């Protein structure tokens, strides 16, 4: 078991290296550059080549591409993720602000994924080749084939945009609705409507594979 874990960890190193190269390459291929994002708020600065060049020199954007890459990787290994050009804040602060909500959303999604997929997999196996089995299997295949961004787009278009604002597409809560003023039931209902769309996308994409796995395992036991 220990050898297997060590082998898996060692296999992750070249994969991680390839991912960093692809990520860095995508950023370099993006139109414009970070200097234009930083200076976009200042119309005069955008048309000043000297200001653009000074900013490129300050951020090391004139260095050879391999120097920029190794500096970027080295900073990440030291825990320095740089500064967000868009938010004008350290990346760690931007990620830290979103992390609690991300963890909360994924924990709730994980609960629903297991709560739905395990019974579905068992029922599908017990009723093998029935209409229920075919519907569950077809839904599982559809969930694995459909990209998450496409499912999310369809939900925004087909559900949120036709709900007359009842189901929001961004944010985490309605300002002013808190436990002290409205009580826990109203707060939970408000939080739920904000989480409904992202939760549906995560659960739909996650339960498909687990449902098929539970069905196969149940059939083997039977």
């Amino acid at each position: 078991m220990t050898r297997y874990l060590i082998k898996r960890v060692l296999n992750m190193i070249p994969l991680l290296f390839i991912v960093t190269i692809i990520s860095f390459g995508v950023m370099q291929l993006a139109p414009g550059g970070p200097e234009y994002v930083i200076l976009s708020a200042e119309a005069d600065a955008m048309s000043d080549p000297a200001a653009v060049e000074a900013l490129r020199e300050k951020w090391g954007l004139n260095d050879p591409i391999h120097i920029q890459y190794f500096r970027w990787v080295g900073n990440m290994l030291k825990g320095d993720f740089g500064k967000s050009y868009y938010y004008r804040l350290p990346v760690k602060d931007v990620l830290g602000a979103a992390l609690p909500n991300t963890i909360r959303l994924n924990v709730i999604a994980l609960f629903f994924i297991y709560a739905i997929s395990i019974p579905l997999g068992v029922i599908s196996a017990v009723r093998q080749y029935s209409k229920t089995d075919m519907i569950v299997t077809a839904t599982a295949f559809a969930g694995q084939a459909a990209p998450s961004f496409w499912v999310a787009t369809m939900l925004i278009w087909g559900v949120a945009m036709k709900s007359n604002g009842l189901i929001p597409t961004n944010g985490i809560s309605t300002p002013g609705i808190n436990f002290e003023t409205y009580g826990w039931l109203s707060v939970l209902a408000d939080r739920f409507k904000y989480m409904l769309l992202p939760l549906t996308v995560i659960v739909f994409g996650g339960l498909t594979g687990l449902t098929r796995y539970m069905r196969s395992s149940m059939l083997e036991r039977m």
Side-chain angles (χ1 to χ4, degrees), residues 1-172:
M1 185 64 180
T2 304
R3 291 178 60 186
Y4 173 76
L5 291 175
I6 294 174
K7 184 178 179 181
R8 295 291 293 179
V9 171
L10 292 177
N11 287 337
M12 289 174 59
I13 296 175
L15 178 61
L16 184 61
F17 179 67
I18 293 172
V19 169
T20 60
I21 292 178
I22 294 175
S23 300
F24 185 78
V26 169
M27 290 188 294
Q28 295 298 316
L29 292 173
E35 66 273 18
Y36 291 98
V37 178
I38 298 170
L39 296 175
S40 59
E42 305 174 20
D44 295 336
M46 287 288 291
S47 59
D48 185 1
V52 174
E53 185 60 28
L55 199 58
R56 288 186 60 85
E57 190 65 32
K58 175 183 177 182
W59 288 92
L61 299 174
N62 289 329
D63 295 337
I65 194 70
H66 65 280
I67 298 296
Q68 295 185 49
Y69 169 75
F70 285 112
R71 181 170 58 228
W72 176 65
V73 172
N75 289 336
M76 283 198 301
L77 292 176
K78 293 185 293 185
D80 180 10
F81 296 99
K83 188 175 181 179
S84 169
Y85 301 129
Y86 182 81
Y87 292 101
R88 314 293 174 88
L89 293 170
V91 173
K92 289 194 294 186
D93 294 347
V94 177
L95 294 178
L99 192 59
N101 291 323
T102 302
I103 294 175
R104 189 179 299 115
L105 179 64
N106 279 275
V107 168
I108 297 173
L110 196 63
F111 168 78
F112 280 107
I113 287 172
Y114 279 91
I116 296 173
S117 61
I118 293 176
L120 279 181
V122 172
I123 293 171
S124 181
V126 172
R127 301 181 180 180
Q128 189 179 17
Y129 303 128
S130 66
K131 288 185 178 179
T132 302
D133 181 31
M134 288 188 287
I135 292 173
V136 171
T137 303
T139 304
F141 277 114
Q144 286 189 314
S148 297
F149 69 86
W150 182 83
V151 176
T153 303
M154 292 298 101
L155 287 175
I156 292 173
W157 173 76
V159 178
M161 292 181 64
K162 297 181 180 179
S163 68
N164 296 321
L166 182 63
I167 300 177
T169 58
N170 63 337
I172 57 173

